[in-house]
Each structure stands twice: as C-alpha cells, then as structure tokens.
Amino acid sequence: MANALHKNDRHKNDRHKNDQHKNDQEKEAAASASLKFIKDGQVVGLGTGSTAAFFVRLLGEKVKDGLKIRGIPTSEGSRRQAAGLGIPLITLDDCQAIDVTVDGADEVDPQLRLIKGGGGALLREKIIASATRQLVIIVDATKRVPVLGKFPLPVEVIKFAQPLVAKKISALGADVRLRLQPDGKPFLSDENNHILDCHFGQIRDADALARQLSDMPGVVEHGLFIGMANIVLVANGTEIVELRHKA
Ligand code: 5RP
C-alpha cells in the first residue's frame, strides 16, 4: 500500500512538472511573439510576473544586439531584472507617454478584460498601462477564461482602511483574504500597501464591480483591467493566438 501511494505521488509530481514545463514553454513563446511590437527608439513598459520576466530577458538580448529602447518598469522586481540585463531605464519623470507595454495577466476574458495583480504589482502596472499607447498582454493558455473571477481578484488598500474595505467587499459576496508573506506577515506592495485577495467565483458584471471597488475609500487600486489591453497573445502549445480589442 505504502509503495502504491508512493508511485501515485511520483506520478502526480511528474505530471505537475510536465504541466509546469509546458506552461513555461508557452509563457516564453508568448513573450517571444511580443517582440515584433517593439521598435527602435520606443519607450517600453516592462511588465511584472513570470511571463513578463521571459519578455524582459528576451528584450535584454535584443538590447545587447543593438536595439535602442528605453524601458520603464512596473515593479521593483522588473526594474532589478532589467537593470541587471543592461536595459536603459527611465521613470515617468522622463517621458510623457509609453509607446508599448508588454505585461502578463492572471485571467483574460473574451472582451480582453483582465485580472491582474497575482504578483502584487497591479497599482504600478495599471498606472503604466494607463499611459501606454499599445498594451500587449502575454499569457499561456490556462489564463483564458469565459468569465473572470476564478482567480481571486487582488485589491490594493491602504493599511488603515483594510479591515473596513475587507468587510465592504465581503458584503459584495466575496471571500476576502489578506495576502500574507511566507513568514505570516502581511504582504506589502511596492507602494507599501496591503493586498486583499477577493474570491468571487464568477464575476458576472466586471464593469459594475470595478466601479464599486473604485468608489470605496481606502481602495488604492483593483486588479480589474477593463478596456486597457489592445492585444493579447495567447500561447497554446506552439501556436500563438493573437486577440485584438474590437473598437
Ligand atoms: C503581477 C501581475 C502578473 O502579470 C500576473 O500575476 C501574471 O503573472 P505570471 O505571468 O507569473 O502568471 O499582474 O502583478
């Protein structure tokens, strides 16, 4: 019996490793496909997360090969990665508008509405996205959903308001959890705020929910990105599906 369990566990582990490997291959394929949107002379928003990290790495290789761009990171993490790769970096002080931003997402629905913030960078990501002419989202196939909400919606709140906001969001029907670090202390965003992960199940009216959350005092930003993505590149195996926002 012990042996049989062992075998099952090993089988599960192997399957998990295979799925992870496939996901990473898809993330890298989507990142690679996004490079065609980057041109010499552009200001490029650098997304956050494991998929965006593939993009930053590939962009670093292009910069080494002579591509002339200036990057603007969406998090301290992507700033550190890009700086380490020699990508020239600027801040919002140095530019009026961003030509193109490439970023990941936690979920994408058929209207190209997104849930973002799994990596905790939603605030800076949304600010950069709002100043971007062309927002290109790169995802593996698991991120495409018919209805948003299976992934818990991250909501960034100032610490003082967190208990009050958590109650208000619970009253909207979500199971709300304060995001914690591995040591059990609250996770802090790059802007020193808390994040509430809000399990809605299915978000039937994302537009209305976005308005309700934005109207709550103490909410700094939420992870619903509506009407922001221009292009979504979905890697499905070796195939790249390009979804474009219909005006
Ligand atoms: C970070 C994000 C990420 O883009 C999102 O969580 C996707 O991450 P990954 O590519 O690691 O799945 O929004 O705040």
Side-chain angles (χ1 to χ4, degrees), residues 27 47-53 103-107 115-123 125 138-140 143 151 179 225:
K27 287 175 184 185
T48 297
S50 56
T51 318
D103 202 350
D106 300 297
E107 281 187 351
I115 285 185
K116 285 186 52 54
L122 66 120
L123 176 56
E125 288 173 334
I138 50 175
V139 289
D140 63 79
K143 306 288 185 65
F151 190 91
R179 190 178 296 186
F225 284 47

Side-chain angles (χ1 to χ4, degrees), residues 232-247:
V232 177
L233 300 173
V234 187
N236 198 346
T238 52
E239 186 201 5
I240 301 289
V241 180
E242 189 171 314
L243 308 170
R244 284 188 180 253
H245 189 72
K246 290 182 195 77

Side-chain angles (χ1 to χ4, degrees), residues 30-219:
S32 173
S34 72
L35 290 173
K36 70 176 177 199
F37 296 100
I38 314 294
K39 307 274 180 312
D40 247 354
Q42 285 183 328
V43 173
V44 180
L46 310 174
T48 297
S50 56
T51 318
F54 279 113
F55 165 72
V56 174
R57 181 168 58 70
L58 294 171
L59 187 67
E61 287 170 14
K62 293 273 172 204
V63 167
K64 269 203 189 87
D65 290 345
L67 179 74
K68 300 261 178 296
I69 55 105
R70 292 176 299 156
I72 184 157
T74 55
S75 65
E76 288 307 307
S78 58
R79 189 189 58 71
R80 274 193 300 273
Q81 187 195 5
L85 293 165
I87 297 175
L89 296 176
I90 57 169
T91 67
L92 285 173
D93 283 330
D94 309 310
C95 74
Q96 295 302 311
I98 299 157
D99 295 297
V100 55
T101 290
V102 178
D103 202 350
D106 300 297
E107 281 187 351
V108 181
D109 82 357
Q111 285 81 48
L112 304 198
R113 295 179 298 192
L114 317 171
I115 285 185
K116 285 186 52 54
L122 66 120
L123 176 56
R124 289 193 188 179
E125 288 173 334
K126 200 179 268 190
I127 292 167
I128 294 297
S130 74
T132 294
R133 293 196 186 98
Q134 190 173 46
L135 177 61
V136 179
I137 296 296
I138 50 175
V139 289
D140 63 79
T142 62
K143 306 288 185 65
R144 217 171 155 188
V145 295
V147 180
L148 297 176
K150 196 167 166 212
F151 190 91
L153 178 67
V155 177
E156 183 157 344
V157 292
I158 65 161
K159 292 175 203 162
F160 176 77
Q162 177 235 298
L164 185 69
V165 171
K167 277 190 204 123
K168 284 191 180 175
I169 301 178
S170 296
L172 296 178
D175 171 14
V176 180
R177 301 191 198 154
L178 176 65
R179 190 178 296 186
L180 301 176
Q181 300 177 141
D183 65 5
K185 293 194 181 129
F187 173 90
L188 289 175
S189 72
D190 282 341
E191 297 296 332
N192 219 22
N193 295 311
H194 284 171
I195 291 192
L196 297 171
D197 288 310
C198 306
H199 300 245
F200 279 95
Q202 284 199 331
I203 299 173
R204 285 285 161 203
D205 191 343
D207 301 35
L209 179 61
R211 281 193 299 273
Q212 281 173 309
L213 292 170
S214 295
D215 283 349
M216 286 181 192
V219 168

